[in-house]
Amino acid sequence: MSLMMTPLVLALSAVTAMQQLPAATAISGQVRSAATMEPLPYAVVEVIVERRAIIRTQTDSNGYYLLRDVPIGKPLIIRAAHIDHAPLENGFTLYGLRPPLNFELEVRPVAIPYVAGRTAERGLRDTLAASSADLSAAAARAMETSPGVAELGLAEAVRDVPGRDPADPADVLYVRGGAADLKLVLLNGAPVYSPFHIGGLINALDGDVLRSATLYLGGAPARYDGGLSYVLDMETRSGRTSAPHGQLSLDMLASQANVEGPIGKRVAFIGSGRSVHGLGTGPFFPGSFPYGYADAIGRADIAIGRNAGVSVTGFWNHERVRLDDQALEGDAAWGNQAGSIRYVGLIRSTNMLLTLGSGHFRTQLPLGGLRPLLTVGISDRERFAADFDRMAGPVRLHFGGSHDRQTFEYRALSSLPGPDSLRVRSTGAGNVTGVYTEASFTALSRLRVRGGMRADVFSLSPAVRLAPRVSATLLLTDRAALSLAAGRYRQYVRAPNRSTIFLGSPVPDSTSGPPLAVAKSTHLAMALTQELLEGVRLGLEGYYKQYDNLPSENGERADASGIDIWLRRNAGSYRGWLGYSLGWVWSVDDPPGNTSRDFSGRQLVNAGVEGPLIAGGRFNVRVSYGSGLPYTAVPEPEATPPVFGVMQMVTAGGSTVSAADGEPADTYLRVDAEIARAWSGEYRGSHYTFMPYLRVINALDRRDALFYRFDQASNSAEPLGDLPILPIVGLEWRF
């Protein structure tokens, strides 16, 4: 890591030396409608100092603005207003530059109080958390992948162990989900292999810390490399600098703690930790609680001089599931460690963002039988990226580059002591270096176009590979927009022909490992969004994707298509969301003349509503349903490849489905409900809130179990354990 820090330190030194610290700077951004998220042309944006507007401009036809000569070191307010929207103001003292400052105005042509919204008082840090509807919509489709238990070659490692061939499907352990390594997930620029917990007992994303979660099922900008299936870019908010704030909640199932505030005059921090402990669930489970999860995330923002800043982020999570005690020893466990350092600055009207990030993922799966094994998978990724953007007349230019190093390893260890405990080991490593350029502009009065090109060089196959990206958004009316997007994506995947080390082979460190393959996908996506009522948005999205050179032993190509329909309400007393996703995938074997086609599909439903109750209470209800979701087969040590295997898994629309016949057809339904009542007050000038709450998890049906075994009596895969109806009483304290 120290070697990788050197280029960043040199870059920071050079930039600091180049930069002057002027008395004024420029601020840019976009003004959009909060109801439709469409740009607002001709909105008035002004800088107010001492209640007097000193700088004023208008947004262009796509809602972008540029304020020049904004004073540094003075308390000021930036105000955005539109003729049929309520104005919005942000107050702060500018000490450094941040990415563009965007406004989202409510469709309500009425006046609001003097300061309706306020960012950090020092710097331009965004301290607003994302709405629960937006986070749930982004996470619902993305989190339905498996946690990486089988994706890192665990099934292959087990199959490579020499043994006899029992043809008993009961010797197979099934894991719901698949191919999580075909996605790109970034958290403040740090690559995270598996960011979601699979148990679903608490929210997938911490809404108190995250600022946004942007999901690209197609048409991701050129700055993103990888992401054959989808790209998910998550950003945390920065800590508030007015005063320290905190939150503490504890109940029978989980606990959570958040803290944020200033450190001195130029540093703000925010930290959060969550844990699923199950300490109060004893009456509902025989023995110990079979599941555990914990995560922690922290961020610090440091202002450097007047025109730059540094952001440091760290993330950790760990998840475990207790398997069948009679058949398996120990827990299945997996987790991530990730972090990033980002520098933001300004060089002659060009915004600059430097990111140094790393991610580590490890998973283990114990397998029983006559030859007990512990299968382990490890993924490491280091990433450096430099991103720039600036205005060139009416065109916004984006350009930059990145360098990635990725390593993968999986191995199978015998649980019996001795020098021959290592049965299988396989590793792979590769670098990717790429550059990109992209431009966005308004081609017509209602047409916004973005187009760019990315060029990447993969160290294991050093030919320049081009990846064009293009998208266009047409405003059909003031409340409806149509978007088209297309692009090509590439990333490393495990090669079908692997090199492994068996018992009696050379020592593990002498292996060159399985060379990774460069897989590619081509996306074509279309979306129609419309504002039905004030604060109510409807969206219809469709996609077609073609995958080549997937990690398959028979070299098959896969095609996928699907539709997503969603409805969201982010304004008013009652808020909610409803999403339906339907996907298909089919594959054709490569050998000429072979016309066999494997076909499969899956559907997902995610819905939620929250609002007030009588006497100051609040409620929320969340529902998730899945059908046709895949199962990855992990054989026991003596097993041959089962009736359907991991090599028949292909990806569709952010989730993976199996193209094999005879897979378990089990569905799952998750229903959670909560009611709460808050009491607020002040103590010695400090505001506090106490909120007792009652939750009911799995109110209507059992929740999906992660691991399954084949039951010969029912001729189907049965879960290792069910979650019963679980009432939870807890208390939350905010200060």
Side-chain angles (χ1 to χ4, degrees):
M1 190 72 175
S2 61
L3 294 177
M4 296 191 63
M5 288 291 295
T6 303
L8 180 62
V9 173
L10 295 177
L12 295 179
S13 302
V15 170
T16 304
M18 292 172 57
Q19 288 184 326
Q20 301 296 324
L21 301 179
T25 186
I27 298 177
S28 64
Q30 187 183 35
V31 181
R32 298 176 294 183
S33 172
T36 64
M37 299 305 293
E38 299 302 327
L40 291 177
Y42 313 116
V44 176
V45 184
E46 54 189 0
V47 178
I48 301 173
V49 177
E50 298 179 352
R51 297 181 179 270
R52 181 173 63 89
I54 62 172
I55 305 172
R56 180 176 297 157
T57 188
Q58 277 190 334
T59 60
D60 61 16
S61 58
N62 201 51
Y64 287 102
Y65 71 90
L66 176 64
L67 295 169
R68 302 182 185 275
D69 301 322
V70 180
I72 290 177
K74 294 183 178 181
L76 54 86
I77 291 174
I78 294 185
R79 183 177 187 268
H82 194 268
I83 187 171
D84 59 350
H85 288 70
L88 182 62
E89 298 174 345
N90 284 278
F92 52 84
T93 299
L94 182 61
Y95 284 97
L97 187 72
R98 54 148 282 169
L101 177 63
N102 300 324
F103 289 87
E104 297 176 6
L105 306 186
E106 297 286 346
V107 185
R108 196 169 55 245
V110 295
I112 59 176
Y114 172 64
V115 177
R118 181 175 294 271
T119 63
E121 294 163 351
R122 289 183 292 275
L124 284 177
R125 304 185 181 96
D126 193 339
T127 63
L128 297 178
S131 70
S132 58
D134 290 335
L135 288 183
S136 297
R141 290 171 290 182
M143 72 177 296
E144 297 300 343
T145 56
S146 76
V149 172
E151 289 75 0
L152 285 178
L154 301 187
E156 295 94 322
V158 176
R159 272 198 287 269
D160 283 336
V161 177
R164 54 191 180 87
D165 302 330
D168 186 355
D171 289 333
V172 175
L173 179 70
Y174 301 103
V175 182
R176 186 185 285 279
D181 57 344
L182 300 182
K183 68 183 185 303
L184 173 65
V185 178
L186 299 176
L187 176 62
N188 288 358
V192 183
Y193 190 89
S194 176
F196 306 113
H197 57 86
I198 205 68
L201 302 182
I202 57 177
N203 291 340
L205 303 175
D206 189 349
D208 291 322
V209 175
L210 286 182
R211 176 174 60 85
S212 64
T214 305
L215 177 65
Y216 296 97
L217 291 179
R223 66 185 294 255
Y224 297 105
D225 57 319
L228 296 184
S229 182
Y230 67 87
V231 176
L232 180 62
D233 193 354
M234 299 184 292
E235 292 283 339
T236 65
R237 65 182 181 90
S238 61
R240 288 176 283 184
T241 58
S242 56
H245 297 270
Q247 172 196 350
L248 180 64
S249 62
L250 179 64
D251 58 45
M252 302 160 53
L253 178 68
S255 60
Q256 178 176 353
N258 298 344
V259 63
E260 60 181 303
I263 302 178
K265 296 182 178 181
R266 295 182 177 271
V267 179
F269 76 95
I270 183 171
S272 173
R274 304 187 298 171
S275 173
V276 177
H277 49 72
L279 297 179
T281 61
F284 305 95
F285 290 95
S288 60
F289 190 66
Y291 173 81
Y293 177 79
D295 64 21
I297 186 170
R299 169 175 168 172
D301 291 89
I302 307 167
I304 300 178
R306 296 181 178 179
N307 219 33
V310 172
S311 175
V312 182
T313 303
F315 172 73
W316 169 88
N317 71 350
H318 181 79
E319 189 168 14
R320 63 173 180 82
V321 175
R322 188 187 68 202
L323 302 178
D324 190 343
D325 293 331
Q326 296 181 356
L328 302 171
E329 297 180 0
D331 295 337
W334 52 93
N336 296 270
Q337 300 174 30
S340 68
I341 301 175
R342 298 193 295 181
Y343 172 87
V344 60
L346 179 69
I347 302 179
R348 296 183 180 180
S349 300
T350 299
N351 294 315
M352 177 181 65
L353 177 64
L354 302 180
T355 303
L356 180 64
S358 66
H360 172 80
F361 177 79
R362 177 187 171 91
T363 180
Q364 69 176 36
L365 178 63
L367 298 173
L370 297 178
R371 298 183 180 181
L373 292 179
L374 177 65
T375 55
V376 178
I378 299 173
S379 171
D380 288 288
R381 184 173 182 181
E382 291 83 33
R383 173 183 174 87
F384 174 76
D387 301 294
F388 306 87
D389 72 90
R390 62 171 298 152
M391 294 297 299
V395 179
R396 178 170 291 274
L397 297 177
H398 302 263
F399 55 95
S402 63
H403 178 77
D404 242 303
R405 175 165 178 81
Q406 304 174 39
T407 60
F408 299 90
E409 177 183 0
Y410 55 87
R411 57 180 179 261
L413 304 170
S414 173
S415 61
L416 301 177
D420 297 330
S421 60
L422 180 64
R423 309 306 300 269
V424 176
R425 182 177 184 267
S426 189
T427 62
N431 298 334
V432 186
T433 302
V435 296
Y436 72 92
T437 181
E438 193 169 54
S440 58
F441 57 93
T442 301
L444 300 173
S445 60
R446 287 180 172 266
L447 179 64
R448 184 71 178 179
V449 178
R450 186 192 75 223
M453 178 70 71
R454 183 175 186 90
D456 293 292
V457 176
F458 294 81
S459 62
L460 299 182
S461 181
V464 178
R465 288 175 165 83
L466 301 180
R469 315 279 174 86
V470 63
S471 69
T473 300
L474 175 64
L475 295 180
L476 302 176
T477 68
D478 291 339
R479 294 177 178 265
L482 177 66
S483 298
L484 295 173
R488 176 159 291 177
Y489 305 83
R490 292 184 176 88
Q491 72 177 72
Y492 278 126
V493 296
R494 297 184 313 276
N497 297 321
R498 306 176 314 277
S499 298
T500 56
I501 288 189
F502 297 97
L503 182 64
S505 297
V507 294
D509 293 340
S510 66
T511 180
S512 60
L516 302 175
V518 180
K520 71 176 180 179
S521 65
T522 302
H523 296 185
L524 178 62
M526 180 177 66
L528 176 64
T529 59
Q530 183 176 4
E531 181 188 12
L532 300 179
L533 300 170
E534 180 179 340
V536 180
R537 298 175 59 211
L538 172 68
L540 174 64
E541 303 175 6
Y543 62 84
Y544 168 78
K545 302 177 183 180
Q546 176 180 306
Y547 301 88
D548 294 284
N549 204 23
L550 287 175
S552 173
E553 290 181 334
N554 56 12
E556 65 183 74
R557 192 199 77 186
D559 298 84
S561 64
I563 59 173
D564 290 275
I565 304 173
W566 52 264
L567 181 68
R568 302 176 199 167
R569 177 184 171 92
N570 283 333
S573 300
Y574 294 92
R575 305 188 179 195
W577 61 93
L578 172 64
Y580 176 73
S581 177
L582 179 64
W584 307 270
V585 62
W586 61 96
S587 60
V588 180
D589 293 337
D590 283 345
N594 189 342
T595 60
S596 64
R597 299 175 66 87
D598 293 320
F599 180 89
S600 186
R602 61 99 177 98
Q603 57 181 339
L604 301 170
V605 179
N606 183 269
V609 61
E610 56 187 28
L613 291 172
I614 58 175
R618 294 193 63 83
F619 79 95
N620 71 69
V621 179
R622 298 169 182 258
V623 180
S624 297
Y625 169 82
S627 176
L629 296 180
Y631 289 83
T632 296
V634 180
E636 292 287 3
E638 287 79 20
T640 56
V643 291
F644 66 95
V646 69
M647 292 307 173
Q648 293 172 294
M649 310 298 287
V650 285
T651 301
S655 294
T656 305
V657 293
S658 174
D661 296 328
E663 68 179 36
D666 193 32
T667 62
Y668 75 88
L669 177 66
R670 299 175 177 173
V671 181
D672 302 331
E674 175 184 308
I675 57 174
R677 172 67 162 87
W679 282 269
S680 300
E682 287 191 7
Y683 178 74
R684 294 185 178 181
S686 298
H687 184 80
Y688 65 86
T689 299
F690 286 101
M691 186 177 68
Y693 57 84
L694 171 64
R695 293 175 183 164
V696 179
I697 292 180
N698 213 37
L700 297 181
D701 195 3
R702 69 168 178 80
R703 189 176 300 258
D704 172 54
L706 178 63
F707 294 94
Y708 288 73
R709 281 193 178 278
F710 185 81
D711 182 71
Q712 294 182 350
S714 61
N715 196 33
S716 63
E718 298 295 332
L720 295 181
D722 294 340
L723 179 67
I725 295 176
L726 190 61
I728 299 171
V729 177
L731 177 66
E732 181 178 301
W733 172 38
R734 291 178 181 263
F735 58 91

